[in-house]
Amino acid sequence: MIAFKWLAKGAVAPFTGFVWPTDGSWVSAPAGAPAGSGVHACRISQLAWWIGDELWRVELAGDVIEHATQVEAPRARLLEQVTAWDPLAFKQACVARTESLAAEAPTPELADYLALIRTADAPIASFVDAVAAVAARGARSAFEDERAWQARWLARALDLREG
Amino acid sequence: MSMRVPDQPTCREIVELVTDYLEGQLPVGERTLFEQHLVYCDWCRVYLEQMRQTIRMAGEVSEESLSPETREELVRLFRGWKGKK
């Protein structure tokens, strides 16, 4: 299965500090590791939850477990870095969305989110945009809806396809 | 500014869960929410890293590595702490 993985600069896993090999070598989760300890990656629709420094196209092998915001597999390897990933462009798209939301619901709360998002980096902007959507629309589901919109933006801007 | 965030853990909740996270004790769902919080929260990322460093450094200290004065001071502090409880 082809999926995507966010990493910190230098192909480093953001939570474990594991340095991923970039030569196409396979990486396996430890044998007998507890549930949830496999290699995590994203379908395109899940990308917005995990924004990071580098985006990589990955191949997953073995039984893939589907979670709400990620997928998990026993083995994976990096295929290629998505060099089109532009955090600034994504952040600007989130700012523009929040500007629309603030125009839709001109409240002090939305004005605060707008001020905050303009100073934020891409991961924070992604989150603030989703929070602003909830505030503007008054529905909890707006959070996931906004994440879905962000994922569609990423797929379009970066020309992403799952295999 | 506080944000109304549906179903997302607060920084205080993250702090309470740090030990379980580092020991691999969090259920998958909670761990996912924990890590999603780290994506957008610089403060919690820094706190987690400080905890990791503290554990690493504390693990390097053995009884033999302490000077007699330091050992005595630690025993004194421990007795004082126990006495207050």
Side-chain angles (χ1 to χ4, degrees), chain A residues 33-40 65 67 72, chain B residues 28 31:
Chain A
S37 304
V39 179
H40 294 96
I65 302 169
H67 299 289
E72 181 184 344
Chain B
V28 176
R31 199 178 79 187

PDB file of all heavy atoms in Angstrom, chain A residues 33-40 65 67 72, chain B residues 28 31:
ATOM      1  N   ALA A  33       5.763  -6.333  19.572  1.00  0.00           N
ATOM      2  CA  ALA A  33       5.474  -5.013  20.147  1.00  0.00           C
ATOM      3  C   ALA A  33       3.972  -4.878  20.374  1.00  0.00           C
ATOM      4  O   ALA A  33       3.171  -5.470  19.645  1.00  0.00           O
ATOM      5  CB  ALA A  33       5.956  -3.924  19.199  1.00  0.00           C
ATOM      6  N   PRO A  34       3.571  -4.131  21.413  1.00  0.00           N
ATOM      7  CA  PRO A  34       2.143  -3.999  21.702  1.00  0.00           C
ATOM      8  C   PRO A  34       1.383  -3.277  20.591  1.00  0.00           C
ATOM      9  O   PRO A  34       1.996  -2.612  19.743  1.00  0.00           O
ATOM     10  CB  PRO A  34       2.119  -3.172  22.992  1.00  0.00           C
ATOM     11  CG  PRO A  34       3.449  -2.533  23.076  1.00  0.00           C
ATOM     12  CD  PRO A  34       4.411  -3.393  22.341  1.00  0.00           C
ATOM     13  N   ALA A  35       0.059  -3.420  20.633  1.00  0.00           N
ATOM     14  CA  ALA A  35      -0.784  -2.772  19.627  1.00  0.00           C
ATOM     15  C   ALA A  35      -0.480  -1.280  19.586  1.00  0.00           C
ATOM     16  O   ALA A  35      -0.275  -0.648  20.623  1.00  0.00           O
ATOM     17  CB  ALA A  35      -2.257  -2.984  19.966  1.00  0.00           C
ATOM     18  N   GLY A  36      -0.445  -0.750  18.384  1.00  0.00           N
ATOM     19  CA  GLY A  36      -0.186   0.685  18.239  1.00  0.00           C
ATOM     20  C   GLY A  36       1.280   1.010  18.065  1.00  0.00           C
ATOM     21  O   GLY A  36       1.639   2.167  17.880  1.00  0.00           O
ATOM     22  N   SER A  37       2.152  -0.018  18.115  1.00  0.00           N
ATOM     23  CA  SER A  37       3.592   0.244  18.024  1.00  0.00           C
ATOM     24  C   SER A  37       4.166  -0.017  16.641  1.00  0.00           C
ATOM     25  O   SER A  37       5.383  -0.083  16.470  1.00  0.00           O
ATOM     26  CB  SER A  37       4.351  -0.624  19.033  1.00  0.00           C
ATOM     27  OG  SER A  37       3.862  -0.407  20.322  1.00  0.00           O
ATOM     28  N   GLY A  38       3.289  -0.172  15.661  1.00  0.00           N
ATOM     29  CA  GLY A  38       3.760  -0.375  14.301  1.00  0.00           C
ATOM     30  C   GLY A  38       4.219   0.937  13.676  1.00  0.00           C
ATOM     31  O   GLY A  38       4.340   1.956  14.355  1.00  0.00           O
ATOM     32  N   VAL A  39       4.470   0.875  12.382  1.00  0.00           N
ATOM     33  CA  VAL A  39       4.851   2.083  11.649  1.00  0.00           C
ATOM     34  C   VAL A  39       3.574   2.842  11.290  1.00  0.00           C
ATOM     35  O   VAL A  39       2.637   2.264  10.734  1.00  0.00           O
ATOM     36  CB  VAL A  39       5.609   1.719  10.358  1.00  0.00           C
ATOM     37  CG1 VAL A  39       5.965   2.980   9.593  1.00  0.00           C
ATOM     38  CG2 VAL A  39       6.860   0.913  10.687  1.00  0.00           C
ATOM     39  N   HIS A  40       3.551   4.114  11.629  1.00  0.00           N
ATOM     40  CA  HIS A  40       2.364   4.919  11.363  1.00  0.00           C
ATOM     41  C   HIS A  40       2.547   5.768  10.116  1.00  0.00           C
ATOM     42  O   HIS A  40       3.629   6.285   9.863  1.00  0.00           O
ATOM     43  CB  HIS A  40       2.040   5.810  12.561  1.00  0.00           C
ATOM     44  CG  HIS A  40       1.639   5.028  13.770  1.00  0.00           C
ATOM     45  ND1 HIS A  40       2.534   4.690  14.760  1.00  0.00           N
ATOM     46  CD2 HIS A  40       0.451   4.479  14.116  1.00  0.00           C
ATOM     47  CE1 HIS A  40       1.906   3.972  15.682  1.00  0.00           C
ATOM     48  NE2 HIS A  40       0.645   3.829  15.314  1.00  0.00           N
ATOM     49  N   ILE A  65      -3.468  -1.753   9.601  1.00  0.00           N
ATOM     50  CA  ILE A  65      -4.574  -1.453  10.530  1.00  0.00           C
ATOM     51  C   ILE A  65      -5.047  -0.029  10.259  1.00  0.00           C
ATOM     52  O   ILE A  65      -4.233   0.899  10.178  1.00  0.00           O
ATOM     53  CB  ILE A  65      -4.118  -1.578  12.005  1.00  0.00           C
ATOM     54  CG1 ILE A  65      -3.578  -2.986  12.265  1.00  0.00           C
ATOM     55  CG2 ILE A  65      -5.262  -1.265  12.963  1.00  0.00           C
ATOM     56  CD1 ILE A  65      -2.861  -3.122  13.608  1.00  0.00           C
ATOM     57  N   HIS A  67      -6.803   3.254  11.485  1.00  0.00           N
ATOM     58  CA  HIS A  67      -7.238   4.061  12.622  1.00  0.00           C
ATOM     59  C   HIS A  67      -7.951   5.292  12.067  1.00  0.00           C
ATOM     60  O   HIS A  67      -7.894   5.560  10.866  1.00  0.00           O
ATOM     61  CB  HIS A  67      -6.046   4.481  13.480  1.00  0.00           C
ATOM     62  CG  HIS A  67      -5.264   3.342  14.071  1.00  0.00           C
ATOM     63  ND1 HIS A  67      -5.757   2.559  15.088  1.00  0.00           N
ATOM     64  CD2 HIS A  67      -4.032   2.848  13.780  1.00  0.00           C
ATOM     65  CE1 HIS A  67      -4.852   1.633  15.407  1.00  0.00           C
ATOM     66  NE2 HIS A  67      -3.802   1.790  14.621  1.00  0.00           N
ATOM     67  N   GLU A  72      -1.563   1.961  10.226  1.00  0.00           N
ATOM     68  CA  GLU A  72      -0.427   1.357  10.925  1.00  0.00           C
ATOM     69  C   GLU A  72      -0.080   0.039  10.243  1.00  0.00           C
ATOM     70  O   GLU A  72      -0.970  -0.735   9.897  1.00  0.00           O
ATOM     71  CB  GLU A  72      -0.830   1.113  12.387  1.00  0.00           C
ATOM     72  CG  GLU A  72       0.264   0.513  13.227  1.00  0.00           C
ATOM     73  CD  GLU A  72      -0.239   0.198  14.648  1.00  0.00           C
ATOM     74  OE1 GLU A  72      -1.308   0.704  15.060  1.00  0.00           O
ATOM     75  OE2 GLU A  72       0.429  -0.589  15.328  1.00  0.00           O
TER      76      GLU A  72
ATOM     77  N   VAL B  28      -3.987   3.042  22.604  1.00  0.00           N
ATOM     78  CA  VAL B  28      -3.718   3.611  21.275  1.00  0.00           C
ATOM     79  C   VAL B  28      -4.470   4.926  21.032  1.00  0.00           C
ATOM     80  O   VAL B  28      -3.889   5.908  20.567  1.00  0.00           O
ATOM     81  CB  VAL B  28      -4.096   2.588  20.175  1.00  0.00           C
ATOM     82  CG1 VAL B  28      -3.922   3.205  18.791  1.00  0.00           C
ATOM     83  CG2 VAL B  28      -3.230   1.351  20.303  1.00  0.00           C
ATOM     84  N   ARG B  31      -2.975   7.744  23.033  1.00  0.00           N
ATOM     85  CA  ARG B  31      -1.647   8.090  22.518  1.00  0.00           C
ATOM     86  C   ARG B  31      -1.755   8.925  21.244  1.00  0.00           C
ATOM     87  O   ARG B  31      -1.002   9.864  21.033  1.00  0.00           O
ATOM     88  CB  ARG B  31      -0.837   6.824  22.238  1.00  0.00           C
ATOM     89  CG  ARG B  31       0.647   7.135  22.153  1.00  0.00           C
ATOM     90  CD  ARG B  31       1.463   5.912  21.922  1.00  0.00           C
ATOM     91  NE  ARG B  31       1.424   5.522  20.532  1.00  0.00           N
ATOM     92  CZ  ARG B  31       1.948   4.401  20.065  1.00  0.00           C
ATOM     93  NH1 ARG B  31       2.505   3.547  20.877  1.00  0.00           N
ATOM     94  NH2 ARG B  31       1.900   4.121  18.787  1.00  0.00           N
TER      95      ARG B  31
END
